[in-house]
Amino acid sequence: SQQGEEDPQALSIQEGENATMNCSYKTSINNLQWYRQNSGRGLVHLILIRSNEREKHSGRLRVTLDTSKKSSSLLITASRAADTASYFCATDQPGSARQLTFGSGTQLTVLP
Amino acid sequence: DAGITQSPRYKITETGRQVTLMCHQTWSHSYMFWYRQDLGHGLRLIYYSAAADITDKGEVPDGYVVSRSKTENFPLTLESATRSQTSVYFCASSEGWLGNQPQHFGDGTRLSIL
């Protein structure tokens, strides 16, 4: 069953603009991760945020987590054409028997 | 180069045939995972393994068999392929499992069952 749902499903922006993607989930979590997937390739881990953290940064990436709303957002600043990819959130829940549950992803297109 | 490799990258087979997808990692990670990726479903866990000779079912295990005789290899077998198993299959590994470890993915096997 899908725990995370990304929003929007697709996003198209111009190079240099910021891109924001959202992830909502249904049950309490231990951690939330974001992954990127380029066309025809495997997923690449971007950033992890723990349930007791509210914000985390990594380079041009900023992730926030609001456990009261059961949601997370991924902000990519100053986007580049190379950021064109699908972005997935993944959560692990207490008692989840070692399973990461992935959302269905946001397809980001950055136009040069 | 260190990493995780899957083979074959593409496979076409017929219903009822047995097919094995291979996965090899060079990090000596304890945990390995098999996922399938379908439009509208994201990634769904098929099986995972915590160590050699230790495997367990994920969300969608029916029709699949795994083994792990060596830490570095984690093959996935479809014993009698069905059209519904047409998908992209990803293998992943992680150093441990506390949910706070990133998973490292191969580039996938695109499997078509006719």
Side-chain angles (χ1 to χ4, degrees), chain A residues 3 25 27-32 49 51 65 67 91-94:
Chain A
Q3 161 78 321
Y25 54 91
T27 63
S28 62
I29 62 170
N30 293 322
N31 306 279
L32 187 144
I49 188 165
S51 60
L65 179 64
T67 53
T91 58
D92 73 284
Q93 300 86 47

Side-chain angles (χ1 to χ4, degrees), chain A residues 37-98:
Chain A
Q37 184 181 31
N38 291 92
S39 180
R41 303 298 300 273
L43 278 72
V44 174
H45 179 262
L46 294 176
I47 197 165
L48 180 148
I49 188 165
R50 293 178 172 76
S51 60
N52 63 353
E53 298 176 314
R54 292 295 166 258
E55 188 170 313
K56 208 160 181 181
H57 295 256
S58 177
R60 293 184 297 114
L61 305 180
R62 173 179 168 248
V63 169
T64 62
L65 179 64
D66 187 334
T67 53
S68 67
K69 294 182 179 178
K70 293 187 171 60
S71 69
S72 173
S73 67
L74 171 67
L75 168 67
I76 303 174
T77 59
S79 63
R80 305 165 182 168
D83 294 327
T84 294
S86 292
Y87 291 82
F88 296 87
C89 65
T91 58
D92 73 284
Q93 300 86 47
S96 64
R98 301 182 176 88

Side-chain angles (χ1 to χ4, degrees), chain A residues 1-2 30-31 33 35 37 39-45 48 50 88 92 96-100 102-104, chain B residues 9 31 33 35 37 40-43 45 48 57-59 90 97-107 110:
Chain A
S1 60
Q2 262 170 260
N30 293 322
N31 306 279
Q33 303 184 35
Y35 287 81
Q37 184 181 31
S39 180
R41 303 298 300 273
L43 278 72
V44 174
H45 179 262
L48 180 148
R50 293 178 172 76
F88 296 87
D92 73 284
S96 64
R98 301 182 176 88
Q99 294 194 28
L100 266 186
F102 287 82
S104 53
Chain B
R9 287 297 312 278
Y31 280 82
F33 309 84
Y35 295 91
Q37 184 176 35
H41 288 280
L43 272 77
L45 182 65
Y48 66 95
K57 296 177 181 179
E59 182 185 351
F90 288 97
W97 178 252
L98 292 175
N100 61 358
Q101 307 257 358
Q103 293 189 9
H104 304 273
F105 285 78
D107 282 334
R110 282 141 190 84

Side-chain angles (χ1 to χ4, degrees), chain B:
Chain B
D1 287 340
I4 184 163
T5 55
Q6 294 184 236
S7 61
R9 287 297 312 278
Y10 303 91
K11 177 74 177 179
I12 300 174
T13 190
E14 296 176 340
T15 56
R17 295 277 182 109
Q18 178 176 288
V19 59
T20 296
L21 311 183
M22 305 302 292
C23 178
H24 176 79
Q25 54 109 351
T26 59
W27 289 300
S28 298
H29 284 169
S30 297
Y31 280 82
M32 296 188 75
F33 309 84
W34 274 107
Y35 295 91
R36 60 177 289 173
Q37 184 176 35
D38 304 288
L39 279 175
H41 288 280
L43 272 77
R44 291 181 291 175
L45 182 65
I46 304 170
Y47 269 94
Y48 66 95
S49 169
D53 298 321
I54 301 175
T55 62
D56 208 346
K57 296 177 181 179
E59 182 185 351
V60 289
D62 293 343
Y64 303 96
V65 174
V66 293
S67 61
R68 194 159 176 215
S69 56
K70 293 184 178 181
T71 300
E72 62 266 29
N73 297 324
F74 190 38
L76 176 74
T77 297
L78 289 67
E79 293 192 304
S80 179
T82 65
R83 288 198 179 92
S84 65
Q85 292 176 310
T86 292
S87 186
V88 182
Y89 291 85
F90 288 97
C91 179
S93 70
S94 67
E95 202 167 346
W97 178 252
L98 292 175
N100 61 358
Q101 307 257 358
Q103 293 189 9
H104 304 273
F105 285 78
D107 282 334
T109 293
R110 282 141 190 84
L111 177 63
S112 295
I113 300 165
L114 306 177

